[in-house]
Amino acid sequence: MPRKKLVVPTFKSEREEAAWWDTHRAEVEADLRLAMRESKTISLSDVLAQASRKKELLPVTIRLASEDVATARQLADGKGIGYQTYIKLLLHEALQKEAGRHVRGLRK
């Protein structure tokens, strides 16, 4: 039987929080071990790298056909990601592919 997900409550004081973590230590450790086995954890360096990349992002407004947005939403949902992230991934892949073609064309 799957374990019930541990929910961390809101605490009124540090003392109350410390007592809760002490009482639930075994469950927290078990959840962490399971997450590590399933590769659902990330390192601090990964978190810092993500934050650094996020600072480099520029907000862009682009008008897209409603059918394209609907298709992107549907495909992204099937992959379990947001549609904007999906569109960003597709654009990145297309740009990398086109840049490779451009470089190969210069070499000829």
Side-chain angles (χ1 to χ4, degrees):
M1 176 172 23
R3 288 177 15 138
K4 187 176 176 184
K5 184 173 174 150
L6 188 62
V7 178
V8 180
T10 304
F11 305 102
K12 295 177 183 168
S13 68
E14 285 186 23
R15 180 178 296 196
E16 182 183 330
E17 181 177 3
W20 187 91
W21 285 104
D22 189 51
T23 303
H24 295 85
R25 181 179 183 140
E27 295 130 298
V28 171
E29 288 176 357
D31 284 350
L32 181 57
R33 283 191 190 96
L34 178 63
M36 290 170 73
R37 277 194 303 273
E38 295 176 350
S39 298
K40 293 183 177 177
T41 60
I42 59 174
S43 68
L44 178 59
S45 62
D46 291 339
V47 171
L48 294 174
Q50 283 178 339
S52 177
R53 281 192 301 273
K54 205 168 196 175
K55 288 179 186 175
E56 297 169 1
L57 299 178
L58 297 174
V60 175
T61 301
I62 184 170
R63 295 185 186 280
L64 300 172
S66 59
E67 304 86 41
D68 291 341
V69 174
T71 301
R73 284 180 189 267
Q74 195 173 34
L75 293 170
D77 189 48
K79 295 182 178 291
I81 59 176
Y83 80 97
Q84 292 179 346
T85 301
Y86 183 65
I87 291 171
K88 188 167 59 172
L89 289 170
L90 291 175
L91 179 59
H92 179 76
E93 289 173 9
L95 290 170
Q96 293 300 312
K97 186 176 179 181
E98 192 62 29
R101 284 186 191 155
H102 180 72
V103 170
R104 285 190 299 276
L106 293 175
R107 291 183 187 157
K108 290 183 180 181

